[in-house]
Amino acid sequence: MTTSTPKETPEKERFLCRMGTVFLISAGRKKFDTYANELREALQNDPRVQWVKRPNLNVDFCEHVVVYPDSQGSSDDEVMRGSDALRAVNFDSPFIFKVVVPIKNQPQHHHADDIPTDTYWVAWDGVSLIVLWSHQSESIPLSGGQVVLQILREVTESIGMDVYNQSCSPACTNVFMHANLVINQTEGEDVFELEAVERLVVNVYVSDIHDSEDLLLTLFYRFHQAVFHFSRQKNLGRRIIDLEAAAWTRASHLLSHYAAHVDASAAPAKKRIKMRWQNRGWRREVRSLSAQTWVCMTGIEVMLRRWRGAQNDFLGEAVEQDSMSVFLADYRDEVKVIEHIDLSRLENISGQVESRLDNRLVSLATAGGAISGGITGALVSLLGG
């Protein structure tokens, strides 16, 4: 842990850095070098990209990653079965490129007219996105760097791919995590220290910076593993929350069918016939909904195990790098929701309704057996006479 804060060197240039999760999505499966070559060519052909450096890949350490999109664009059935899953490409080293876009041509965030610069340095490995720019102002601009996602989306579409930006929540339109990293150059050797000064501002003190590209790579290799594990934890966490919502939707429908049956049973004879006709086939529907509820609950259990693994990986990396302050604003709320998920009520609802259906079948079978036995006895008596 840091016991003292290094002092900023006044004459040195200051920078602002933002980090985010932008998954490179591929509909088909290709060689990693093929992805990289196509992406390099597309970036080179974009007039907003001044230069680009393609990484020398070690394909043994590149991977395809399963990514679940926000449920807003998926059906309940797709969420339940996971059939809406996307394939993301994660390179073992980042693309490095420089973006130059006139301020008037950059998108604003929440109509904030505070775009700070026309020049950004970008590092991206298909999952972890680091955006850096020179920043001498004390204020933190909302709209800084937003144009980078626009460029990545248009560039990847030109080669038949796509990007999926995973913000803090489905309703959030911010490209990046909420923490802003203010980079201060300082004296000394091998200095890299963090100081959280506000909830959304973290001072970073760095020494031995040769140029903007050198600083960009330093930041990338410091944070990219934590960003990757954080992205996996958040993605699995969102799908768990979506699965729980899907399970409760089915349980609600299940109970409404059963309630309609109970209401019909208590109604007067004439009304009962009409109500039962309107609710015909309810047992088949209830069994189907109950089975789907169990599928959702099983999916939650499986995802929870994966989520806890991703959480352990993230926390281990964040503690080792002393970087939790960078992720805290995007971390807490979702974790609280997931840690308080309780499937016992869903299990009880499905189990009780199924038990009542099973008891009815047993009663019918018993009654049928008695009637069958009586008929058989009568036949025997008749034949014996």
Side-chain angles (χ1 to χ4, degrees):
M1 295 293 293
T2 303
T3 55
S4 61
T5 301
K7 298 299 182 183
E8 175 188 354
T9 306
E11 67 274 12
K12 294 285 188 177
E13 185 178 11
R14 296 169 75 237
F15 295 85
L16 201 147
C17 173
R18 283 185 172 149
M19 303 190 297
T21 300
V22 179
F23 293 103
L24 174 62
I25 304 300
S26 174
R29 196 180 184 93
K30 301 179 182 179
K31 293 182 178 180
F32 291 106
D33 278 317
T34 302
Y35 292 130
N37 290 336
E38 291 178 351
L39 184 56
R40 175 185 58 188
E41 183 176 357
L43 286 167
Q44 287 175 335
N45 290 336
D46 192 297
R48 296 165 293 186
V49 178
Q50 196 168 86
W51 53 258
V52 57
K53 293 184 179 179
R54 175 205 188 277
N56 294 318
L57 301 178
N58 183 338
V59 295
D60 291 336
F61 294 98
C62 300
E63 60 180 326
H64 289 103
V65 181
V66 175
V67 176
Y68 298 100
D70 294 333
S71 61
Q72 294 172 348
S74 303
S75 67
D76 264 4
D77 189 66
E78 287 174 326
V79 170
M80 179 181 72
R81 303 180 189 282
S83 57
D84 58 342
L86 306 171
R87 179 191 293 111
V89 179
N90 182 217
F91 300 118
D92 72 311
S93 300
F95 275 81
I96 304 294
F97 54 99
K98 183 179 179 181
V99 168
V100 179
V101 182
I103 288 176
K104 63 182 179 66
N105 293 340
Q106 295 183 43
Q108 296 178 358
H109 182 57
H110 291 314
H111 306 289
D113 188 13
D114 60 356
I115 296 168
T117 182
D118 62 357
T119 303
Y120 303 95
W121 290 269
V122 183
W124 184 46
D125 64 359
V127 176
S128 304
L129 178 69
I130 312 288
V131 177
L132 177 74
W133 67 90
S134 178
H135 190 77
Q136 307 311 311
S137 172
E138 294 297 325
S139 63
I140 304 295
L142 286 176
S143 299
Q146 300 284 323
V147 70
V148 173
L149 178 62
Q150 182 183 79
I151 292 171
L152 290 177
R153 180 165 285 127
E154 293 172 6
V155 162
T156 53
E157 284 179 357
S158 72
I159 55 175
M161 301 182 76
D162 200 359
V163 291
Y164 173 62
N165 176 218
Q166 182 171 268
S167 51
C168 69
S169 68
C172 183
T173 58
N174 194 1
V175 174
F176 305 102
M177 298 176 193
H178 286 89
N180 299 278
L181 278 61
V182 179
I183 315 299
N184 305 287
Q185 299 188 57
T186 188
E187 300 296 338
E189 294 183 3
D190 299 324
V191 177
F192 193 105
E193 297 182 5
L194 306 180
E195 177 196 24
V197 293
E198 297 177 22
R199 191 176 74 90
L200 302 181
V201 179
V202 178
N203 279 338
V204 182
Y205 298 93
V206 187
S207 64
D208 304 322
I209 298 174
H210 301 295
D211 54 31
S212 301
E213 183 182 345
D214 176 56
L215 174 59
L216 180 67
L217 286 170
T218 298
L219 292 167
F220 178 86
Y221 284 110
R222 184 78 176 199
F223 293 115
H224 82 104
Q225 283 288 355
V227 174
F228 175 81
H229 294 311
F230 183 69
S231 74
R232 298 296 303 128
Q233 176 188 333
K234 181 168 282 289
N235 192 255
L236 291 167
R238 283 195 192 169
R239 182 44 55 109
I240 290 168
I241 293 171
D242 290 341
L243 275 170
E244 188 196 29
W248 276 111
T249 297
R250 284 160 174 78
S252 176
H253 289 167
L254 182 155
L255 286 174
S256 67
H257 280 294
Y258 188 73
H261 166 70
V262 172
D263 289 344
S265 299
K270 289 184 178 180
K271 190 175 181 181
R272 186 189 314 150
I273 294 172
K274 181 180 179 181
M275 291 174 69
R276 285 185 170 175
W277 174 255
Q278 291 173 340
N279 200 35
R280 63 191 180 279
W282 73 274
R283 289 186 178 85
R284 181 174 63 252
E285 183 69 15
V286 162
R287 289 194 180 280
S288 175
L289 287 168
S290 180
Q292 291 175 36
T293 303
W294 282 106
V295 169
C296 290
M297 287 190 286
T298 302
I300 291 170
E301 292 284 1
V302 171
M303 290 288 185
L304 274 172
R305 292 190 182 95
R306 295 178 185 172
W307 180 83
R308 291 188 183 103
Q311 184 188 42
N312 287 336
D313 290 339
F314 163 67
L315 291 176
E317 188 70 27
V319 169
E320 182 179 343
Q321 300 292 347
D322 194 22
S323 61
M324 193 62 194
S325 57
V326 176
F327 301 91
L328 208 54
D330 298 86
Y331 176 81
R332 286 176 173 165
D333 292 343
E334 201 169 67
V335 170
K336 287 179 181 178
V337 172
I338 294 168
E339 289 180 342
H340 286 85
I341 284 178
D342 182 5
L343 299 180
S344 60
R345 290 179 62 197
L346 282 167
E347 292 171 355
N348 288 338
I349 289 170
S350 291
Q352 287 176 16
V353 173
E354 287 175 358
S355 176
R356 284 172 171 77
L357 290 176
D358 291 340
N359 288 340
R360 181 180 179 278
L361 290 175
V362 170
S363 298
L364 288 175
T366 302
I371 293 170
S372 177
I375 293 173
T376 302
L379 287 172
V380 170
S381 298
L382 180 62
L383 292 173

